[in-house]
Amino acid sequence: MKKRQLIERVSKEAEEDHAQPRLTRADWLEKALEMLIENGIDAVRITRLADLLRVTRGSFYWHFADRNELLEAMLEVWQQSNTASIIQAATAPGTLQDRILALFICWLDPELFDPRLDFAVRDWARGDAALQAVIAQSDQQRMDALIAMFAAHGFAERQAIIRARNFYYTQMGYYALNVREPLSVRLSYVATYFETYTDEKLDPQAEADFRQKIIARRDLWGDERIPAR
Amino acid sequence: MKKRQLIERVSKEAEEDHAQPRLTRADWLEKALEMLIENGIDAVRITRLADLLRVTRGSFYWHFADRNELLEAMLEVWQQSNTASIIQAATAPGTLQDRILALFICWLDPELFDPRLDFAVRDWARGDAALQAVIAQSDQQRMDALIAMFAAHGFAERQAIIRARNFYYTQMGYYALNVREPLSVRLSYVATYFETYTDEKLDPQAEADFRQKIIARRDLWGDERIPAR
DNA sequence: CCAACACCATACAGTGGTGTATTGGAAGAT
DNA sequence: ATCTTCCAATACACCACTGTATGGTGTTGG
């Protein structure tokens, strides 16, 4: 689901097409999430957001009761985006190869899974046990879906767990380290990773299709040129 | 290297045994790191530290020029602890099995590798390009050591890279998700992980020795009872 | 046409933080 | 015994931010 849509839904504002006269609750929420992602929760200050939005804080306190209400709305956006994408990719019908490739797409498309938001929220939870519990629950749901996926495709319980952990933790580790590589490099690892996770060879035709699908999404790779093979 | 020792070295204070009359630079630094780990960099406030240390801020400004000088000292402690442990474990002589098990010990012993400090620093770097560069350099050093390790034990370049990434990212992902499992559970995964990373069976005797070594370190596992097999 | 509403500006009180300047006091050196 | 030196307390000026109360203005509907 598109993030702006989610933000608006959480903001409980059905966007009538007539351009909103001034600011909406969703505008504040969007800027706040941007700030969270780029500078952490402690940079989410009403004063700063007001400056960025070119209004005074008076506007904020019309849309929100206080800062805490904003924070709760932010968390709600997170809860309804990243986790859902992973679970959907893992539980759709099809072969194991289809599922793994669908998850790879998740890892590559920030509209489906935004790692910066995920880690900003984790960071936010530092020293906040209640928030940590919420996050742990989402992680559990994600892991359960992955374990069930491997189990449904022939792996014994223990093997399914290890493979799911490898799959999920490796990707989270990759994000945690803030690795910055061109998409072409990431694509070049796809087949090898696939074999590591499944012990099967990746069908060359499927890999080609995957590359095509990614390359078609120009928005994912900026100016870079990616050879089709 | 013991963390308190490092903190004191960075503080350039050879600790004469006579109990220091009041506070040292290292005391402030230690509390600041504790605060960083538990509540993030934005919680590292001179006022709060002074309260915790039961002195006024006047003391702080005798030991440090300003808050920034404290932050630089904190970063220096991080630089000289975690990365060194990993590189040492990966580059020591011996078989691949020895190396992997040495690294597993790193992952289990916070004196060698403190994941909470590592991630607190990474979060601290959010929105700070200079700090991100410092961290990226440390990550590169760690990865290089791991790749060289796999390469030195018979894996081709590409395979060595994938295996090193899998090994390192999986562990970082585990920490990033703040997983809390008893040590006994983590130990039960050791052999399976080993086989995933190396494609070799873990020698039962080596595994038993490994368990013994961990169990001997009671400080790592609190009250828990771990069966020797 | 004007009244009500939606949205924003302004002004104010209060809190928590930084950094500086100055003073106070206890231990060790002479 | 006093004199430094080291370390900490106090007081002050100065933000940045929160939240509240109230007033102002453009837009819409009756």
Side-chain angles (χ1 to χ4, degrees):
Chain A
M1 164 158 288
K2 286 284 164 54
K3 197 169 304 155
R4 175 72 200 194
Q5 289 176 350
L6 257 173
I7 291 169
E8 275 156 6
R9 225 184 51 191
V10 168
S11 301
K12 284 156 200 142
E13 288 170 353
E15 181 170 27
E16 316 286 327
D17 307 76
H18 63 74
Q20 59 259 13
R22 287 145 129 172
L23 284 186
T24 67
R25 191 178 156 99
D27 291 323
W28 283 97
L29 189 45
E30 189 173 31
K31 261 284 183 273
L33 285 167
E34 191 182 316
M35 207 69 196
L36 169 69
I37 287 172
E38 303 201 332
N39 299 99
I41 193 64
D42 288 286
V44 178
R45 302 280 117 193
I46 299 163
T47 307
R48 285 156 146 329
L49 298 178
D51 289 348
L52 291 172
L53 291 171
R54 310 257 177 196
V55 294
T56 60
R57 296 178 303 111
S59 168
F60 177 85
Y61 286 102
W62 193 89
H63 292 289
F64 296 86
D66 52 19
R67 182 167 178 270
N68 208 50
E69 192 175 308
L70 173 66
L71 298 189
E72 283 174 10
M74 292 167 66
L75 195 60
E76 205 174 331
V77 170
W78 170 77
Q79 277 186 307
Q80 297 187 27
S81 53
N82 287 1
T83 301
S85 296
I86 293 177
I87 292 177
Q88 190 175 341
T91 59
T95 65
L96 179 58
Q97 180 176 282
D98 295 335
R99 296 304 95 236
I100 298 279
L101 291 179
L103 286 162
F104 281 171
I105 293 206
C106 258
W107 298 155
L108 289 168
D109 185 352
E111 281 295 335
L112 292 173
F113 180 87
D114 187 340
R116 300 196 308 157
L117 177 58
D118 223 62
F119 280 88
V121 171
R122 291 173 197 282
D123 185 21
W124 174 9
R126 188 183 303 279
D128 182 337
L131 192 42
Q132 281 175 15
V134 171
I135 293 172
Q137 192 186 341
S138 278
D139 278 328
Q140 193 57 54
Q141 291 171 2
R142 298 177 190 182
M143 273 302 299
D144 287 347
L146 293 174
I147 292 171
M149 175 186 78
F150 281 108
H153 290 90
F155 289 98
E157 166 96 11
R158 188 171 194 77
Q159 270 292 315
I161 291 174
I162 294 275
R163 280 165 196 272
R165 290 166 73 116
N166 241 316
F167 186 86
Y168 184 52
Y169 292 167
T170 299
Q171 194 56 39
M172 290 295 124
Y174 181 88
Y175 291 137
L177 304 194
N178 204 23
V179 181
R180 292 270 166 261
E181 340 176 274
L183 189 55
S184 56
V185 173
R186 295 184 70 179
L187 283 177
S188 76
Y189 288 120
V190 162
T192 315
Y193 271 121
F194 180 88
E195 289 157 21
T196 304
Y197 295 136
T198 65
D199 288 347
E200 297 172 10
K201 285 279 174 195
L202 176 59
D203 176 47
Q205 185 59 47
E207 186 184 2
D209 292 348
F210 182 82
R211 292 181 76 90
Q212 275 312 121
K213 199 182 290 185
I214 297 293
I215 291 170
R217 300 276 324 265
R218 299 186 62 93
D219 53 315
L220 294 183
W221 46 283
D223 291 341
E224 195 190 347
R225 307 208 168 203
I226 302 176
R229 276 207 76 76
Chain B
M1 168 160 285
K2 287 282 164 54
K3 198 168 303 154
R4 175 71 199 194
Q5 288 176 352
L6 258 173
I7 290 169
E8 275 157 5
R9 226 184 50 188
V10 168
S11 301
K12 285 156 198 140
E13 288 172 352
E15 182 171 28
E16 317 286 328
D17 308 75
H18 62 76
Q20 60 259 14
R22 288 143 133 176
L23 284 186
T24 68
R25 191 177 156 99
D27 291 323
W28 283 95
L29 189 45
E30 189 173 32
K31 261 282 182 278
L33 286 167
E34 190 182 319
M35 208 69 197
L36 168 69
I37 288 173
E38 302 201 332
N39 298 98
I41 192 64
D42 291 285
V44 178
R45 302 281 118 191
I46 298 164
T47 307
R48 288 165 81 86
L49 298 178
D51 289 349
L52 292 172
L53 291 171
R54 310 259 178 195
V55 293
T56 61
R57 294 178 306 110
S59 167
F60 177 85
Y61 286 101
W62 194 89
H63 292 288
F64 297 86
D66 52 20
R67 181 166 179 270
N68 208 51
E69 192 175 308
L70 173 66
L71 299 189
E72 282 172 12
M74 291 167 68
L75 194 60
E76 206 174 330
V77 171
W78 171 75
Q79 279 187 306
Q80 297 187 26
S81 53
N82 287 3
T83 302
S85 296
I86 293 177
I87 292 178
Q88 190 175 340
T91 60
T95 65
L96 179 58
Q97 180 175 283
D98 295 334
R99 298 302 95 237
I100 299 280
L101 291 179
L103 285 162
F104 282 171
I105 293 207
C106 258
W107 299 152
L108 289 168
D109 184 351
E111 281 294 336
L112 292 174
F113 181 87
D114 186 340
R116 300 196 308 156
L117 176 58
D118 223 62
F119 279 88
V121 171
R122 290 173 197 283
D123 288 333
W124 174 9
R126 188 182 305 277
D128 182 336
L131 191 41
Q132 282 175 16
V134 171
I135 293 172
Q137 192 186 340
S138 278
D139 278 329
Q140 192 58 54
Q141 291 171 4
R142 299 177 189 181
M143 273 302 298
D144 287 347
L146 293 174
I147 293 171
M149 176 186 77
F150 281 108
H153 291 90
F155 288 98
E157 166 96 13
R158 188 170 194 78
Q159 269 293 316
I161 291 174
I162 295 276
R163 280 165 197 272
R165 290 166 72 117
N166 240 317
F167 186 85
Y168 184 51
Y169 292 167
T170 299
Q171 194 56 40
M172 290 297 123
Y174 180 89
Y175 291 138
L177 303 192
N178 205 23
V179 181
R180 294 267 168 262
E181 335 176 277
L183 189 57
S184 56
V185 173
R186 296 185 70 181
L187 283 178
S188 77
Y189 288 120
V190 163
T192 315
Y193 271 122
F194 181 88
E195 289 157 20
T196 305
Y197 295 136
T198 66
D199 289 347
E200 297 171 10
K201 286 279 174 198
L202 177 58
D203 175 49
Q205 184 58 49
E207 186 184 2
D209 292 347
F210 182 82
R211 292 183 76 91
Q212 274 311 122
K213 200 182 290 185
I214 296 294
I215 291 170
R217 301 276 323 265
R218 300 186 60 95
D219 52 319
L220 294 183
W221 47 285
D223 291 340
E224 194 189 349
R225 305 209 170 203
I226 302 177
R229 280 204 74 76

